[in-house]
Amino acid sequence: MTMGSRKSLWLAALVLALPAFAGAGHADNAGGVEKEKPGIDRPLGVVELFTSQGCSSCPPADAYFAELAGKEDIVALAYHVDYWDYLGWQDTLGRKENTERQYDYMRAFGSRSVYTPQAVINGRVHVNGAKRGEVDGALARMSRSGEGMHVPVKVSRTSDRVIIDAGDAGTGPSDAHVVIVYFDAPRTVKIAQGENSGRSMTYWNAVTGIQTAGMWHGKSQRYELPMSEIIKKGGCAVLLQSVGKDGMPGPILGAAFIHKP
């Protein structure tokens, strides 16, 4: 589905929990800090899917995204947009902030319109989110070319705070925002109207909020968040994302899930 022509008119069954919701850790007796369970501080990449319950082209992308969301080496985030609501079904997970993020990417990429299902890979390129070959290919290609997650991001926690340690840049961009992305636990929705009327879909990692927690300037740096805020959310991820002078989102340099206790 594309917005260009219409703008003027304005998989599996849920059986396993995601690593993002597992939250197992162990105590560091020396400092009282609980470290995240052994994992990946440099995942293969970040996949941001822009989707909608009212988009007839989106169910295959949503099903493939569910597979990505179950992989420990992928940070997968789904942004439900609201611009297809006029077709007869209001997306129960849609948010105007998600639509705004997609339009920001559109401007950053120099595109003329937005579309669903759109998958943005590492903040660098976009492909059709239903075409797994294009998504997998982009992730592999960027990993080989040095456009993957080259800055390590490690997460630990105490009883009252989450600690994020971003590593050195090495080569490449040396300024970025520390972006916290909150998302829902998996949720099954029965769609009663619109282009997907009659479908029952399970949606994973649907984004509910985004905030900037700080700035990173290319050197190892530590950030702290109150645990009370993390506990309120279904799930949480941190992105180390460069931002252009015009404020538009740029390449994602590092990422990690923040596991709940």
Side-chain angles (χ1 to χ4, degrees):
M1 272 174 106
T2 64
M3 277 297 290
S5 60
R6 294 185 175 180
K7 185 178 176 184
S8 61
L9 301 175
W10 305 90
L11 52 110
L14 179 59
V15 293
L16 293 175
L18 278 175
F21 297 97
H26 65 274
D28 182 340
N29 293 330
V33 176
E34 291 184 2
K35 297 180 179 179
E36 297 286 90
K37 69 177 182 178
I40 299 172
D41 60 7
R42 296 189 192 187
L44 178 62
V46 176
V47 177
E48 297 176 275
L49 177 68
F50 292 91
T51 185
S52 173
Q53 295 169 8
C55 158
S56 61
S57 303
C58 287
D62 296 323
Y64 171 49
F65 179 84
E67 297 179 26
L68 293 175
K71 296 184 176 182
E72 291 190 4
D73 63 343
I74 301 291
V75 175
L77 302 165
Y79 298 82
H80 284 246
V81 298
D82 61 1
Y83 50 74
W84 294 125
D85 289 357
Y86 79 94
L87 293 177
W89 175 256
Q90 184 173 346
D91 192 313
T92 60
L93 303 172
R95 297 173 57 86
K96 67 180 182 64
E97 292 84 0
N98 295 344
T99 301
E100 290 167 359
R101 183 165 175 83
Q102 188 179 27
Y103 270 94
D104 284 344
Y105 270 129
M106 180 195 75
R107 288 185 281 270
F109 294 143
S111 302
R112 300 184 64 179
S113 64
V114 296
Y115 65 94
T116 54
Q118 180 188 40
V120 176
I121 315 298
N122 295 352
R124 295 176 181 269
V125 300
H126 65 95
V127 299
N128 186 319
K131 296 185 176 180
R132 64 176 62 218
E134 294 187 6
V135 175
D136 291 344
L139 285 166
R141 183 174 63 254
M142 283 187 275
S143 179
R144 291 192 303 267
S145 66
E147 295 181 319
M149 304 294 101
H150 69 273
V151 179
V153 177
K154 298 181 180 180
V155 178
S156 57
R157 61 180 183 264
T158 67
S159 60
D160 64 349
R161 74 196 69 181
V162 169
I163 301 166
I164 301 167
D165 287 299
D168 288 325
T171 58
S174 58
D175 285 294
H177 288 188
V178 180
V179 180
I180 308 300
V181 183
Y182 300 103
F183 55 87
D184 267 343
R187 181 181 301 184
T188 299
V189 176
K190 185 174 182 180
I191 301 171
Q193 300 179 46
E195 294 190 344
N196 291 317
S197 179
R199 285 181 176 267
S200 184
M201 298 288 298
T202 298
Y203 295 104
W204 293 74
N205 295 13
V207 172
T208 58
I210 309 171
Q211 70 179 64
T212 298
M215 291 287 297
W216 171 84
H217 299 293
K219 300 297 182 182
S220 296
Q221 192 166 342
R222 171 167 289 188
Y223 309 86
E224 295 185 1
L225 300 174
M227 180 61 74
S228 59
E229 289 302 307
I230 303 300
I231 290 175
K232 294 176 184 177
K233 313 298 181 180
C236 188
V238 55
L239 308 179
L240 202 63
Q241 184 163 31
S242 59
V243 176
K245 293 181 180 179
D246 56 0
M248 296 299 102
I252 297 173
L253 312 177
F257 281 116
I258 299 176
H259 298 278
K260 295 172 69 173

